[in-house]
């Protein structure tokens, strides 16, 4: 009976805590990153839109859904075809040939910032899950 009690205690300690949120790291991508994100300029009043990072595989990473409005509202390239996560936790948007188009570096409070060449900085922030 003692062995059974120890086994139960060990299993309870070894089981992951389901209530604890997962950190957003490349190891658990795309799961922790998938969902709806806001994309906007960094200044108050800048144009904004939402995009969805999905869990399904695509050439160069994972699928994403981008409303047409994003291409004009924030100057997003129409060549964006996938998203990926870099070893430091940065989120990358890539073209169909796997070339990096934008790299959003992690900043304070869950924001990710990219500084496009010749463009204004952009910020991405996760709004919710739902990136199937």
């Amino acid at each position: 009976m003692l062995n059974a009690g120890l086994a139960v205690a060990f299993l309870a300690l070894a089981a992951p805590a389901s209530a604890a949120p997962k950190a957003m790291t490349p190891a658990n991508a795309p799961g922790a990153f998938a969902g709806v994100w806001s994309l906007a300029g960094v200044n108050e009043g800048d144009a904004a839109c939402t995009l969805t990072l999905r869990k399904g595989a695509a050439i160069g990473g994972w699928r994403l859904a981008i409303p047409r409005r994003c291409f004009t509202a924030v100057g997003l390239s129409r060549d964006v075809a996938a998203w990926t996560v870099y070893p430091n936790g940065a989120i990358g948007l890539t073209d169909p040939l796997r070339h990096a188009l934008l790299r959003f570096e992690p900043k304070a409070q869950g924001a990710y910032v990219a500084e496009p060449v010749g463009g204004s900085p952009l910020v991405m922030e996760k709004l919710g899950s739902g990136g199937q």
Side-chain angles (χ1 to χ4, degrees), residues 1-109:
M1 192 66 159
L2 180 61
N3 287 342
L6 288 174
V8 170
F10 175 75
L11 289 175
L13 291 174
S18 60
K22 284 188 173 181
M24 292 173 52
T25 66
N28 61 22
F33 292 85
V36 180
W37 291 73
S38 69
L39 178 61
V42 296
N43 298 311
E44 187 174 334
D46 283 353
C49 65
T50 59
L51 57 97
T52 304
L53 303 183
R54 300 198 182 273
K55 295 178 184 178
I59 294 173
W62 296 283
R63 294 183 313 119
L64 70 165
I66 305 172
R68 290 182 191 198
R69 183 182 183 300
C70 277
F71 299 114
T72 54
V74 297
L76 195 60
S77 170
R78 293 188 184 272
D79 292 334
V80 174
W83 68 278
T84 192
V85 179
Y86 295 100
N88 73 336
I91 300 171
L93 301 182
T94 63
D95 70 10
L97 299 176
R98 298 183 178 99
H99 297 127
L101 299 175
L102 285 173
R103 182 177 175 131
F104 289 86
E105 296 292 338
K107 301 295 180 190
Q109 299 177 352

